[in-house]
Amino acid sequence: MWGSLRRAPLSDSYAAAVAIVLLALCPFIVLSPAVNIFQQPVMRDLGASRFGFELASALASAGYALGAVVSADLIQRASVRRLYLLCEAVFVLGSVLALVAPGIELFTAGRVLQGLATGMLLVVALPPLVTSHGVERLPTTAAVVSLGLFGMVTLGPIIGGVAAAGNRWRLVFAALAVLGVAALVLGLLGLEDSEPGGRSFDWTALPLAVAATALPFFGVSWLARGTTWTSPGFLVPTIAGLAALVLLIVVQYHRDDPLMPMRPIAHTLPVTGIAGAMVAGAAVTALVGLAELYLTKVGHETPLATGALVTSQVAGTVLAAWLFRRLLPTRWLPVLALAGLVSAAAGSATLLLLSPGSTHAVVPAAALLLGFGAGAGVTPALFMVGLSVPSSRLGPTFALVELLRSNAAFLLAPVLLQLAATHGGLPGGVRLGVLVCLAASVAAIAAVIGTYLLGGARLQEPDLPAWLERDAPAFDSPPLAAELRDTDASDGARRGQSAASGG
């Protein structure tokens, strides 16, 4: 049935393509921070424990990370149009289940379906928008992606605050279901069938991806039961899941025909991009959560006031998207990504000034820096990776980056929030969590700069026409530690010449 409209009336519309991507990604991305704000009404109405609620959120995030990998496989064996429509139908179903849920079990099922569908849509809907509308529109598309991924997420706290203030959390899920239906209709009108590539199923990647997402996210949520850091319920699944993630990367690197292009990514520019995106995304997610915890538990702010105080993130992400649009075709893209990391570190340092009497000044200032840090530190880094591989491999590349970034972001934040809640007094615990984020950001800045210099990379303009029209990498990225390798090779050659002359 879904394949009957082979010529979609809006298939040539750039505006429709943008709307399809935003409707596909934004609802769940906005919901993720919003649901934390209206946690108490959900727990009360569903009779849920804190562990039950945290498990629902964790498995939804795991579903998002896993969905990207699943979709990277399916888009090579199924029509993009049919996958999109299927994913949107699953998202609507998940929203309805969460809307009508009488208890935490059905609510969790709905949230997992929402996350899984959105993760799949990231790979199904986003790469065609990036690659199908020409070089001239690519900077605008990149800015739209930045706003869609990180501009909209900054609206989550204020939406959550409004929902909590009036106990209207079910209305949020009703709105998400309506947006899903709208996306479904727009997909019918704007997407056409495409011939799949015919790739065989990767029997190694997907099982490892399931373990790499479900296990560590479950393990971290176990901390909500009030257990210690040495609890087997936390340690065993978390360590096993992270080991599966490492094994997934190793196996993909050594496969001749990998699902995700590990070998092209294992170069200087992509590695610095992935590292920066992981740390920037994780730090911002954790810091916003710590600020919200301080506002509600120490400052005794209402959920609505808490959401309002961190909404200055929006301005930071808008500025980052504008700069991204201007700098994408230039050689300054890596500098923008580094500036995002620096801004995340500056936001961490600002939050160290928190006190009961300074929250109304410190939190908005820090949130502005964190919003810029997320917008400048993650999406530009994501494109640094994507532009380093052929454009035809953009979907699987995005899947790998999002898998790594999601694991970093959605694992660090709960751990630091638990640390803040259990480490002596709450103000001291929040400060400790902020210090961890500051240290991680500073270390990442040093690591990114060091990797860039040791690789012998140079600032270069991306060859966007070659990337879009000839399916060639836009960046000429040197191997990791190329400078050291060249030095070793030169030393070896000199030693060989000396030995030859001496003989």
Side-chain angles (χ1 to χ4, degrees):
M1 179 184 69
W2 287 343
S4 59
L5 296 177
R6 297 197 61 85
R7 181 61 185 172
L10 298 179
S11 60
D12 296 328
S13 170
Y14 177 69
V18 169
I20 285 172
V21 170
L22 294 182
L23 282 173
L25 301 181
C26 291
F28 179 80
I29 288 174
V30 172
L31 176 65
S32 294
V35 74
N36 294 325
I37 299 292
F38 55 73
Q39 173 180 351
Q40 293 301 322
V42 171
M43 291 170 57
R44 181 180 62 248
D45 291 351
L46 300 182
S49 64
R50 180 168 171 260
F51 168 68
F53 178 87
E54 294 292 345
L55 182 61
S57 297
L59 293 181
S61 299
Y64 174 80
L66 175 62
V69 180
V70 171
S71 193
D73 182 88
L74 291 179
I75 59 171
Q76 300 177 74
R77 295 186 291 110
S79 162
V80 168
R81 181 174 188 262
R82 297 189 183 194
L83 279 176
Y84 176 90
L85 297 175
L86 174 63
C87 291
E88 282 297 349
V90 170
F91 181 84
V92 172
L93 174 61
S95 300
V96 171
L97 291 179
L99 167 65
V100 302
I104 192 62
E105 295 82 7
L106 196 60
F107 180 82
T108 300
R111 294 277 286 122
V112 171
L113 290 179
Q114 286 181 317
L116 182 66
T118 305
M120 294 181 66
L121 287 166
L122 176 76
V123 176
V124 170
L126 184 54
L129 174 64
V130 174
T131 61
S132 302
H133 297 278
V135 174
E136 295 77 13
R137 280 179 168 156
L138 186 55
T140 300
T141 301
V144 168
V145 170
S146 182
L147 287 175
L149 291 178
F150 298 101
M152 297 304 294
V153 74
T154 57
L155 296 176
I158 190 64
I159 292 174
V162 172
N167 196 24
R168 300 185 182 94
W169 67 268
R170 290 189 189 270
L171 184 60
V172 173
F173 287 95
L176 295 182
V178 171
L179 289 174
V181 171
L184 195 62
V185 173
L186 192 57
L188 282 167
L189 298 175
L191 294 176
E192 292 186 322
D193 277 329
S194 60
E195 293 296 328
R199 177 190 171 87
S200 60
F201 185 79
D202 191 333
W203 291 100
T204 61
L206 295 184
L208 287 172
V210 171
T213 51
L215 290 177
F217 283 81
F218 174 84
V220 170
S221 67
W222 191 263
L223 293 173
R225 296 173 62 93
T227 58
T228 65
W229 302 100
T230 58
S231 168
F234 164 68
L235 286 178
V236 173
T238 302
I239 293 174
L242 294 178
L245 178 61
V246 172
L247 183 59
L248 171 64
I249 293 171
V250 171
V251 169
Q252 288 292 292
Y253 183 86
H254 289 285
R255 279 182 66 94
D256 293 330
D257 184 25
L259 173 62
M260 294 171 286
M262 280 303 308
R263 291 184 185 178
I265 290 174
H267 284 71
T268 299
L269 280 178
V271 168
T272 57
I274 290 175
M278 289 174 64
V279 176
V284 169
T285 301
L287 288 165
V288 171
L290 289 167
E292 292 171 352
L293 180 65
Y294 191 95
L295 288 170
T296 54
K297 301 299 184 182
V298 179
H300 304 292
E301 300 285 354
T302 65
L304 182 58
T306 298
L309 285 170
V310 298
T311 303
S312 55
Q313 291 179 92
V314 176
T317 56
V318 170
L319 175 60
W322 178 78
L323 285 173
F324 187 26
R325 183 179 183 275
R326 297 292 300 271
L327 298 180
L328 175 63
T330 75
R331 60 178 180 161
W332 301 108
L333 186 61
V335 176
L336 178 61
L338 180 62
L341 263 176
V342 172
S343 188
S348 305
T350 304
L351 283 177
L352 291 176
L353 303 175
L354 270 176
S355 66
S358 68
T359 53
H360 285 217
V362 170
V363 172
L368 178 66
L369 291 167
L370 296 177
F372 183 82
V378 180
T379 315
L382 184 68
F383 270 75
M384 282 172 58
V385 183
L387 292 173
S388 298
V389 302
S391 57
S392 61
R393 301 291 283 157
L394 187 61
T397 301
F398 277 0
L400 174 64
V401 176
E402 282 301 293
L403 174 65
L404 296 173
R405 192 188 68 81
S406 296
N407 268 276
F410 293 116
L411 290 178
L412 180 65
V415 168
L416 290 185
L417 289 172
Q418 181 69 13
L419 178 66
T422 57
H423 182 79
L426 189 59
V430 170
R431 182 179 180 84
L432 178 60
V434 172
L435 283 171
V436 171
C437 291
L438 177 59
S441 300
V442 172
I445 292 169
V448 165
I449 294 175
T451 303
Y452 197 87
L453 295 176
L454 288 176
R458 58 182 178 83
L459 295 177
Q460 56 182 293
E461 292 184 9
D463 191 348
L464 299 179
W467 188 68
L468 286 178
E469 297 164 10
R470 299 196 297 275
D471 199 28
F475 284 125
D476 181 16
S477 179
L480 289 170
E483 290 292 291
L484 293 179
R485 298 180 189 184
D486 290 344
T487 300
D488 293 341
S490 299
D491 290 343
R494 284 194 296 270
R495 286 193 297 270
Q497 292 170 358
S498 176
S501 62

